[in-house]
Amino acid sequence: MLTIGAGFAFGLWKGFLAISAGATLGASSAFLVARFIARNKIESVAQRHEKFRKIDNAIGKQGAKLIFLLRLSPVIPFNLSNYFYGLTTVKFWSYVLASWIGMMPGTFLYVYIGAADKTAVAAAASGEAMKRGWQYWTFTGVGLAATIIVTIWVTKIARDALRETKAFQE
């Protein structure tokens, strides 16, 4: 709602820049909190469990690619994943860049919706039922298909990365 509201209040480009900067700063802050407060505890667990250490290393090596792909999917809750990535060996600047670029398409879409259709936003805010045209259903269908494809692709990449490190082999 805030992203759509930014498009409504500030227009497409100002809203996009504000949300993109804010989302990236927020994600980076959560990552740093997890990295510097909880990472030592995770490392001590990893020292005792070889399989966990191998998975952590695989995420560290493939992290930027996985983060980018997961950011494209609106199904993955960003706030929890921000903390999770801080617990892994993903490099901070790789995380920031992958998150920023991966969040751009969704940010642009939601800001555009707010900027393009102020009447619909006003109707939704007042509780009035919204009429959904072919554009809504097209974006919904494309978004659902993209989410399914990205989920399958991310699963394959993660599985391949883990196989490379032999994390699942004893």
Side-chain angles (χ1 to χ4, degrees):
M1 281 312 260
L2 291 176
T3 306
I4 293 172
F8 182 77
F10 303 119
L12 179 61
W13 294 110
K14 287 181 184 176
F16 174 75
L17 291 174
I19 293 297
S20 183
T24 303
L25 288 171
S28 300
S29 298
F31 178 94
L32 291 172
V33 164
R35 172 70 45 101
F36 291 109
I37 292 175
R39 178 66 190 166
N40 290 338
K41 292 177 186 174
I42 297 300
E43 282 180 329
S44 68
V45 169
Q47 297 298 327
R48 294 188 307 263
H49 297 71
E50 183 180 348
K51 188 178 282 193
F52 182 85
R53 190 172 57 245
K54 288 179 178 181
I55 291 170
D56 188 30
N57 288 335
I59 290 172
K61 289 177 186 173
Q62 298 287 328
K65 186 185 335 181
L66 291 172
I67 291 165
F68 170 74
L69 293 171
L70 289 168
R71 294 293 190 200
L72 292 174
S73 172
V75 175
I76 307 297
F78 286 178
N79 45 358
L80 292 177
S81 64
N82 294 333
Y83 291 105
F84 171 74
Y85 294 128
L87 300 175
T88 67
T89 56
V90 173
K91 303 286 185 240
F92 175 71
W93 290 111
S94 298
Y95 167 81
V96 171
L97 184 62
S99 290
W100 179 56
I101 293 171
M103 288 188 287
M104 278 186 184
T107 299
F108 186 83
L109 172 66
Y110 290 120
V111 172
Y112 176 79
I113 289 169
D117 199 357
K118 291 183 181 189
T119 334
V121 173
S126 70
E128 185 179 316
M130 290 177 49
K131 296 177 185 171
R132 295 191 164 105
W134 67 270
Q135 298 93 338
Y136 172 83
W137 295 110
T138 301
F139 275 121
T140 300
V142 169
L144 179 61
T147 298
I148 291 169
I149 290 168
V150 166
T151 302
I152 292 168
W153 192 18
V154 166
T155 302
K156 182 189 178 322
I157 290 170
R159 190 179 306 126
D160 291 348
L162 292 172
R163 279 191 190 130
E164 285 178 19
T165 62
K166 299 180 183 176
F168 288 122
Q169 298 173 3
E170 311 264 29

